[in-house]
Amino acid sequence: MKKITIAVDGFSSCGKSTMAKDLAKEIGYVYVDSGAMYRTVALYALEQGIIKEGKIDEDRLKQEMGNINISFHFNPQRGRPDTYLNGQCVEDRIRTLEVSNHVSPIAALGFVREEMVRQQQRMGEEGGIIMDGRDIGTTVFPNAELKIFVTASAEIRAQRRYDELTAKGESCNMADILRNVEERDYIDTHREISPLCQAADALVLDNSHMTIEEQKQWLIRAYQHAIEK
Ligand code: DC
Protein backbone atom coordinates (compact mmCIF):
# COMPACT_ATOMS: atom_id res chain seq x y z
CA MET A 1 0.00 0.00 0.00
CA LYS A 2 1.34 3.44 -0.80
CA LYS A 3 2.91 5.27 2.13
CA ILE A 4 1.84 8.88 2.34
CA THR A 5 2.92 11.87 4.42
CA ILE A 6 0.45 13.20 6.96
CA ALA A 7 0.77 16.71 8.39
CA VAL A 8 -1.21 17.60 11.52
CA ASP A 9 -1.10 21.28 12.50
CA GLY A 10 -3.03 23.36 14.97
CA PHE A 11 -3.13 25.31 18.21
CA SER A 12 -1.33 24.18 21.36
CA SER A 13 -3.04 21.66 23.65
CA CYS A 14 -5.75 20.64 21.22
CA GLY A 15 -4.81 16.96 21.34
CA LYS A 16 -2.82 16.89 18.09
CA SER A 17 -0.12 14.60 19.43
CA THR A 18 -2.52 12.10 20.97
CA MET A 19 -4.48 11.80 17.76
CA ALA A 20 -1.38 11.69 15.54
CA LYS A 21 0.26 9.09 17.75
CA ASP A 22 -2.89 6.91 17.78
CA LEU A 23 -3.28 7.09 14.02
CA ALA A 24 0.42 6.24 13.52
CA LYS A 25 -0.01 3.15 15.69
CA GLU A 26 -3.16 2.09 13.85
CA ILE A 27 -1.62 2.36 10.37
CA GLY A 28 2.01 1.48 11.22
CA TYR A 29 3.51 4.89 10.48
CA VAL A 30 6.34 6.74 12.22
CA TYR A 31 5.10 9.51 14.50
CA VAL A 32 7.11 12.68 15.07
CA ASP A 33 6.12 15.39 17.56
CA SER A 34 7.86 18.47 16.13
CA GLY A 35 6.84 20.61 19.13
CA ALA A 36 9.00 18.32 21.30
CA MET A 37 12.00 19.44 19.24
CA TYR A 38 11.37 23.14 19.95
CA ARG A 39 10.73 22.28 23.60
CA THR A 40 14.07 20.47 23.74
CA VAL A 41 15.89 23.54 22.41
CA ALA A 42 14.09 25.65 25.07
CA LEU A 43 15.07 23.14 27.79
CA TYR A 44 18.71 23.25 26.67
CA ALA A 45 18.66 27.06 26.69
CA LEU A 46 17.14 27.18 30.18
CA GLU A 47 19.50 24.60 31.63
CA GLN A 48 22.61 26.19 30.11
CA GLY A 49 21.69 29.68 31.30
CA ILE A 50 21.10 30.87 27.73
CA ILE A 51 17.69 32.16 28.86
CA LYS A 52 18.13 34.43 31.87
CA GLU A 53 15.25 36.35 33.43
CA GLY A 54 13.19 35.58 30.36
CA LYS A 55 15.79 36.98 27.93
CA ILE A 56 17.37 34.76 25.29
CA ASP A 57 21.07 35.16 24.49
CA GLU A 58 20.52 34.61 20.75
CA ASP A 59 24.20 34.78 19.78
CA ARG A 60 25.11 32.09 22.26
CA LEU A 61 22.20 29.88 21.27
CA LYS A 62 23.15 30.22 17.60
CA GLN A 63 26.72 29.19 18.41
CA GLU A 64 25.54 26.22 20.45
CA MET A 65 22.89 24.86 18.04
CA GLY A 66 25.40 22.25 16.90
CA ASN A 67 25.59 20.89 20.48
CA ILE A 68 21.87 20.12 20.54
CA ASN A 69 21.31 16.63 19.20
CA ILE A 70 17.67 15.62 19.28
CA SER A 71 16.47 12.09 18.65
CA PHE A 72 13.37 10.00 19.29
CA HIS A 73 13.28 6.45 20.63
CA PHE A 74 10.08 4.44 20.76
CA ASN A 75 8.91 3.72 24.31
CA PRO A 76 6.75 0.58 24.21
CA GLN A 77 5.28 1.32 27.65
CA ARG A 78 3.89 4.66 26.53
CA GLY A 79 3.24 3.50 22.98
CA ARG A 80 4.98 6.57 21.58
CA PRO A 81 8.50 7.88 21.05
CA ASP A 82 10.34 9.61 23.90
CA THR A 83 12.46 12.67 23.16
CA TYR A 84 16.21 12.54 23.80
CA LEU A 85 18.69 15.40 24.12
CA ASN A 86 22.29 14.35 23.56
CA GLY A 87 21.42 10.74 24.36
CA GLN A 88 19.46 11.52 27.54
CA CYS A 89 15.69 11.09 27.84
CA VAL A 90 14.10 14.52 28.44
CA GLU A 91 10.48 13.57 27.77
CA ASP A 92 9.23 14.69 31.23
CA ARG A 93 11.50 17.71 31.52
CA ILE A 94 10.27 19.26 28.26
CA ARG A 95 6.62 19.13 29.40
CA THR A 96 6.87 21.39 32.47
CA LEU A 97 5.10 24.74 32.63
CA GLU A 98 8.54 26.42 32.79
CA VAL A 99 9.47 25.05 29.37
CA SER A 100 5.97 25.82 28.03
CA ASN A 101 6.42 29.42 29.18
CA HIS A 102 9.71 29.86 27.30
CA VAL A 103 9.26 27.78 24.17
CA SER A 104 7.31 30.15 21.89
CA PRO A 105 10.04 32.84 21.67
CA ILE A 106 12.60 30.09 21.01
CA ALA A 107 10.39 28.67 18.23
CA ALA A 108 10.14 32.16 16.70
CA LEU A 109 13.91 32.37 16.05
CA GLY A 110 14.81 31.93 12.38
CA PHE A 111 18.01 29.95 12.92
CA VAL A 112 16.23 27.55 15.31
CA ARG A 113 13.40 26.96 12.82
CA GLU A 114 15.78 26.45 9.91
CA GLU A 115 17.65 23.73 11.75
CA MET A 116 14.50 21.99 13.04
CA VAL A 117 12.81 22.06 9.60
CA ARG A 118 15.94 20.58 8.02
CA GLN A 119 15.94 17.71 10.52
CA GLN A 120 12.17 17.17 10.13
CA GLN A 121 12.39 16.99 6.34
CA ARG A 122 15.16 14.42 6.65
CA MET A 123 12.97 12.29 8.93
CA GLY A 124 10.19 12.35 6.33
CA GLU A 125 12.25 11.41 3.28
CA GLU A 126 10.83 7.89 3.09
CA GLY A 127 7.14 8.81 3.58
CA GLY A 128 5.01 6.75 5.98
CA ILE A 129 5.23 9.52 8.55
CA ILE A 130 2.79 11.54 10.63
CA MET A 131 4.22 14.75 12.00
CA ASP A 132 2.37 17.21 14.16
CA GLY A 133 3.22 20.87 14.77
CA ARG A 134 2.40 24.34 13.50
CA ASP A 135 4.02 24.57 10.08
CA ILE A 136 4.10 20.98 8.91
CA GLY A 137 1.53 21.33 6.11
CA THR A 138 2.74 24.80 5.11
CA THR A 139 6.56 24.65 5.40
CA VAL A 140 7.96 21.25 6.35
CA PHE A 141 5.86 19.06 4.03
CA PRO A 142 3.95 21.39 1.68
CA ASN A 143 3.27 18.40 -0.60
CA ALA A 144 1.86 16.15 2.11
CA GLU A 145 -0.99 14.03 0.74
CA LEU A 146 -3.08 14.56 3.88
CA LYS A 147 -3.12 17.78 5.89
CA ILE A 148 -5.23 18.26 8.97
CA PHE A 149 -5.71 21.51 10.87
CA VAL A 150 -6.93 20.95 14.44
CA THR A 151 -8.61 23.51 16.62
CA ALA A 152 -10.60 23.79 19.89
CA SER A 153 -11.58 26.70 22.14
CA ALA A 154 -8.83 28.18 24.38
CA GLU A 155 -10.82 27.32 27.56
CA ILE A 156 -11.20 23.68 26.59
CA ARG A 157 -7.51 23.42 25.69
CA ALA A 158 -6.46 25.02 29.01
CA GLN A 159 -8.66 22.55 30.90
CA ARG A 160 -7.02 19.65 29.08
CA ARG A 161 -3.51 20.91 29.89
CA TYR A 162 -4.56 21.48 33.54
CA ASP A 163 -5.82 17.89 33.79
CA GLU A 164 -2.60 16.59 32.21
CA LEU A 165 -0.32 18.51 34.60
CA THR A 166 -2.31 17.73 37.76
CA ALA A 167 -2.42 14.04 36.81
CA LYS A 168 1.38 14.18 36.81
CA GLY A 169 1.32 15.78 40.28
CA GLU A 170 2.52 19.19 39.07
CA SER A 171 0.86 22.01 41.00
CA CYS A 172 -0.68 24.57 38.68
CA ASN A 173 -3.53 27.00 38.47
CA MET A 174 -6.14 27.29 35.79
CA ALA A 175 -5.79 31.05 35.23
CA ASP A 176 -2.01 30.71 34.62
CA ILE A 177 -2.55 27.90 32.16
CA LEU A 178 -5.26 29.76 30.25
CA ARG A 179 -2.95 32.78 30.03
CA ASN A 180 -0.12 30.55 28.77
CA VAL A 181 -2.39 28.98 26.12
CA GLU A 182 -3.58 32.41 24.92
CA GLU A 183 -0.08 33.86 24.89
CA ARG A 184 1.26 30.94 22.90
CA ASP A 185 -1.65 31.20 20.43
CA TYR A 186 -0.78 34.85 19.93
CA ILE A 187 2.97 34.30 19.45
CA ASP A 188 2.46 31.21 17.26
CA THR A 189 0.04 33.01 14.93
CA HIS A 190 1.86 36.36 14.82
CA ARG A 191 5.51 35.40 14.47
CA GLU A 192 7.30 36.50 11.34
CA ILE A 193 8.63 33.13 10.19
CA SER A 194 6.21 30.27 9.47
CA PRO A 195 3.36 31.51 11.65
CA LEU A 196 0.69 28.99 12.54
CA CYS A 197 -1.87 29.12 9.76
CA GLN A 198 -4.13 26.69 8.02
CA ALA A 199 -2.79 25.35 4.72
CA ALA A 200 -5.25 26.06 1.90
CA ASP A 201 -5.67 22.33 1.25
CA ALA A 202 -6.00 21.23 4.91
CA LEU A 203 -9.08 19.55 6.37
CA VAL A 204 -10.27 21.36 9.52
CA LEU A 205 -11.06 19.38 12.65
CA ASP A 206 -12.66 21.27 15.56
CA ASN A 207 -12.56 18.77 18.40
CA SER A 208 -13.97 21.01 21.17
CA HIS A 209 -16.95 18.71 21.60
CA MET A 210 -15.68 15.44 20.19
CA THR A 211 -14.78 12.29 22.10
CA ILE A 212 -11.42 10.61 21.47
CA GLU A 213 -13.30 7.79 19.73
CA GLU A 214 -15.25 10.15 17.42
CA GLN A 215 -12.02 11.90 16.56
CA LYS A 216 -10.31 8.60 15.81
CA GLN A 217 -13.07 7.59 13.40
CA TRP A 218 -12.91 10.98 11.69
CA LEU A 219 -9.15 10.61 11.22
CA ILE A 220 -9.31 7.09 9.85
CA ARG A 221 -11.92 8.18 7.31
CA ALA A 222 -9.68 11.11 6.28
CA TYR A 223 -6.68 8.78 5.95
CA GLN A 224 -8.61 6.22 3.88
CA HIS A 225 -9.89 8.93 1.61
CA ALA A 226 -6.32 10.25 1.12
CA ILE A 227 -4.80 6.88 0.21
CA GLU A 228 -7.61 6.13 -2.25
CA LYS A 229 -6.95 9.36 -4.16
O1 DC B 1 2.98 21.44 20.29
P1 DC B 1 3.72 22.01 21.47
O2 DC B 1 2.86 22.82 22.41
O3 DC B 1 4.51 20.99 22.21
O4 DC B 1 4.77 23.04 20.82
C1 DC B 1 5.70 23.74 21.58
C2 DC B 1 6.00 25.10 20.96
O5 DC B 1 6.73 24.94 19.76
C3 DC B 1 4.79 25.98 20.65
O6 DC B 1 4.99 27.26 21.21
C4 DC B 1 4.78 26.10 19.17
C5 DC B 1 6.13 25.69 18.72
N1 DC B 1 6.10 24.86 17.50
C6 DC B 1 6.39 25.48 16.31
O7 DC B 1 6.62 26.68 16.28
N2 DC B 1 6.43 24.74 15.17
C7 DC B 1 6.17 23.43 15.19
N3 DC B 1 6.22 22.74 14.05
C8 DC B 1 5.84 22.80 16.42
C9 DC B 1 5.80 23.56 17.56
Side-chain angles (χ1 to χ4, degrees), residues 159-172:
Q159 183 67 51
R160 290 177 186 160
R161 176 95 357 153
Y162 177 86
D163 294 344
E164 210 176 279
L165 290 169
T166 46
K168 279 193 210 156
E170 202 172 316
S171 76
C172 51

Short mmCIF file of all heavy atoms in Angstrom, two decimals, residues 159-172:
data_model
loop_
_atom_site.label_atom_id
_atom_site.label_comp_id
_atom_site.label_asym_id
_atom_site.label_seq_id
_atom_site.Cartn_x
_atom_site.Cartn_y
_atom_site.Cartn_z
N GLN A 159 -8.16 23.59 29.99
CA GLN A 159 -8.66 22.55 30.90
C GLN A 159 -7.93 21.22 30.66
O GLN A 159 -7.52 20.54 31.59
CB GLN A 159 -10.18 22.37 30.68
CG GLN A 159 -10.83 21.38 31.62
CD GLN A 159 -10.83 21.88 33.07
OE1 GLN A 159 -11.25 23.01 33.33
NE2 GLN A 159 -10.35 21.06 34.00
N ARG A 160 -7.72 20.90 29.40
CA ARG A 160 -7.02 19.65 29.08
C ARG A 160 -5.58 19.68 29.60
O ARG A 160 -5.10 18.70 30.16
CB ARG A 160 -7.01 19.41 27.56
CG ARG A 160 -8.38 19.06 27.01
CD ARG A 160 -8.30 18.92 25.50
NE ARG A 160 -9.62 18.73 24.91
CZ ARG A 160 -9.90 18.96 23.64
NH1 ARG A 160 -8.97 19.39 22.81
NH2 ARG A 160 -11.11 18.73 23.18
N ARG A 161 -4.90 20.80 29.41
CA ARG A 161 -3.51 20.91 29.89
C ARG A 161 -3.48 20.85 31.42
O ARG A 161 -2.61 20.23 32.01
CB ARG A 161 -2.91 22.21 29.36
CG ARG A 161 -1.55 22.54 29.82
CD ARG A 161 -0.30 22.22 29.08
NE ARG A 161 -0.18 21.51 27.87
CZ ARG A 161 0.80 21.68 27.01
NH1 ARG A 161 1.69 22.59 27.23
NH2 ARG A 161 0.89 20.96 25.95
N TYR A 162 -4.47 21.49 32.07
CA TYR A 162 -4.56 21.48 33.54
C TYR A 162 -4.70 20.03 34.03
O TYR A 162 -3.99 19.59 34.94
CB TYR A 162 -5.77 22.32 33.98
CG TYR A 162 -6.02 22.32 35.47
CD1 TYR A 162 -5.37 23.23 36.29
CD2 TYR A 162 -6.92 21.41 36.04
CE1 TYR A 162 -5.59 23.23 37.66
CE2 TYR A 162 -7.14 21.40 37.41
CZ TYR A 162 -6.47 22.32 38.21
OH TYR A 162 -6.68 22.31 39.56
N ASP A 163 -5.60 19.29 33.39
CA ASP A 163 -5.82 17.89 33.79
C ASP A 163 -4.54 17.06 33.62
O ASP A 163 -4.21 16.24 34.45
CB ASP A 163 -6.95 17.26 32.96
CG ASP A 163 -8.30 17.91 33.25
OD1 ASP A 163 -8.41 18.61 34.28
OD2 ASP A 163 -9.24 17.75 32.43
N GLU A 164 -3.84 17.31 32.51
CA GLU A 164 -2.60 16.59 32.21
C GLU A 164 -1.53 16.86 33.28
O GLU A 164 -0.91 15.93 33.79
CB GLU A 164 -2.11 17.12 30.87
CG GLU A 164 -1.32 16.17 29.99
CD GLU A 164 -1.02 16.90 28.68
OE1 GLU A 164 -1.92 16.92 27.81
OE2 GLU A 164 0.08 17.46 28.54
N LEU A 165 -1.36 18.14 33.63
CA LEU A 165 -0.32 18.51 34.60
C LEU A 165 -0.67 18.02 36.01
O LEU A 165 0.18 17.49 36.72
CB LEU A 165 -0.08 20.03 34.61
CG LEU A 165 0.59 20.61 33.37
CD1 LEU A 165 0.53 22.13 33.36
CD2 LEU A 165 2.06 20.18 33.27
N THR A 166 -1.94 18.17 36.41
CA THR A 166 -2.31 17.73 37.76
C THR A 166 -2.23 16.21 37.87
O THR A 166 -1.83 15.68 38.90
CB THR A 166 -3.72 18.23 38.19
OG1 THR A 166 -4.62 18.02 37.12
CG2 THR A 166 -3.72 19.69 38.56
N ALA A 167 -2.54 15.51 36.78
CA ALA A 167 -2.42 14.04 36.81
C ALA A 167 -0.97 13.63 37.05
O ALA A 167 -0.70 12.58 37.62
CB ALA A 167 -2.94 13.44 35.50
N LYS A 168 -0.05 14.48 36.61
CA LYS A 168 1.38 14.18 36.81
C LYS A 168 1.86 14.68 38.17
O LYS A 168 3.04 14.59 38.48
CB LYS A 168 2.20 14.88 35.73
CG LYS A 168 2.24 14.17 34.41
CD LYS A 168 3.34 14.79 33.57
CE LYS A 168 3.01 14.70 32.11
NZ LYS A 168 3.69 15.72 31.33
N GLY A 169 0.97 15.31 38.95
CA GLY A 169 1.32 15.78 40.28
C GLY A 169 1.97 17.17 40.27
O GLY A 169 2.46 17.63 41.29
N GLU A 170 1.94 17.84 39.11
CA GLU A 170 2.52 19.19 39.07
C GLU A 170 1.47 20.19 39.57
O GLU A 170 0.31 20.13 39.14
CB GLU A 170 2.94 19.52 37.63
CG GLU A 170 4.01 20.61 37.61
CD GLU A 170 4.58 20.84 36.20
OE1 GLU A 170 4.88 19.86 35.50
OE2 GLU A 170 4.71 22.00 35.84
N SER A 171 1.87 21.07 40.50
CA SER A 171 0.86 22.01 41.00
C SER A 171 0.74 23.16 40.00
O SER A 171 1.75 23.68 39.50
CB SER A 171 1.22 22.51 42.40
OG SER A 171 2.24 23.44 42.31
N CYS A 172 -0.48 23.52 39.67
CA CYS A 172 -0.68 24.57 38.68
C CYS A 172 -2.03 25.22 38.91
O CYS A 172 -2.86 24.68 39.65
CB CYS A 172 -0.63 23.97 37.28
SG CYS A 172 -1.70 22.56 37.04
#
